[in-house]
Amino acid sequence: MSSTDENRAASASIYVDADACPVKNEILKVAERHGMPVIFVANGGLRPSRDPMVRNVIVSDKFDAADDWIVEHAQSNDIVVTADIPLASRCVENGALVLGPTGRRFDAGNIGMVSAMRDLNQHLRESGEIKGYNAAFSSRDRSQFLQTLEDVARQARNA
């Protein structure tokens, strides 16, 4: 591994689509353990942090402004945390390691099917075939996320 690669691996960051992220505390725990910077990106409402490894980025309220910012900045080997499937797809295309707040990994092998299911469910909701309820976020989801993020952080660090 070249010194540039080593610096990149050491500086892998965690980008968070933070507007409705339920696992911010878990992200901070894992990031601290691995010495990874965290960038929370939102349209507003973020609590300031005194931690020098945490950066809050407030973007405009333009549609997809936070998504666009994350896509522009997250690079290969960075981690992106989002429940937004179109954002996940864009980040996977750019080589980022992507996971949802329930711990589900998104990668080149599954993002196509995940996107297709999202589109199908949206169509079924709009046509009234199904209700638009999401399952409640559970402590099991939180635990699964924490384990998956730990695994992904190790992968990013060792890449």
Side-chain angles (χ1 to χ4, degrees):
M1 186 182 310
S2 73
S3 63
T4 304
D5 291 337
E6 288 173 10
N7 290 339
R8 181 67 196 126
S11 67
S13 298
I14 303 174
Y15 290 85
V16 182
D17 184 8
D19 281 321
C21 181
V23 288
K24 291 178 184 130
N25 290 334
E26 289 78 5
I27 292 166
L28 293 172
K29 286 178 191 175
V30 173
E32 182 177 2
R33 189 168 29 252
H34 292 279
M36 300 175 91
V38 176
I39 301 93
F40 290 113
V41 184
N43 299 99
L46 292 175
R47 288 190 178 143
S49 174
R50 292 186 177 167
D51 186 335
M53 297 294 282
V54 176
R55 180 174 161 211
N56 289 338
V57 175
I58 307 298
V59 297
S60 75
D61 60 358
K62 183 185 111 202
F63 184 72
D64 282 345
D67 297 4
D68 293 341
W69 194 95
I70 292 170
V71 169
E72 288 173 21
H73 292 84
Q75 300 176 23
S76 179
N77 199 43
D78 284 332
I79 299 169
V80 175
V81 177
T82 183
D84 183 316
I85 301 306
L87 172 58
S89 180
R90 293 169 68 192
C91 292
V92 165
E93 273 183 35
N94 289 347
L97 305 169
V98 185
L99 65 151
T102 61
R104 182 169 189 185
R105 292 272 315 254
F106 301 110
D107 58 32
N110 71 5
I111 196 65
M113 181 59 75
V114 171
S115 295
M117 289 303 297
R118 175 201 172 271
D119 293 345
L120 174 62
N121 285 329
Q122 182 176 345
H123 172 75
L124 292 173
R125 279 190 303 275
E126 289 170 355
S127 66
E129 296 292 320
I130 62 172
K131 301 285 185 205
Y133 305 121
N134 290 326
F137 189 77
S138 69
S139 59
R140 184 170 189 228
D141 293 330
R142 192 175 304 282
S143 177
Q144 180 62 45
F145 173 81
L146 194 55
Q147 180 60 53
T148 304
L149 181 58
E150 181 66 34
D151 294 344
V152 171
R154 281 192 208 116
Q155 180 183 346
R157 193 182 66 213
N158 295 328

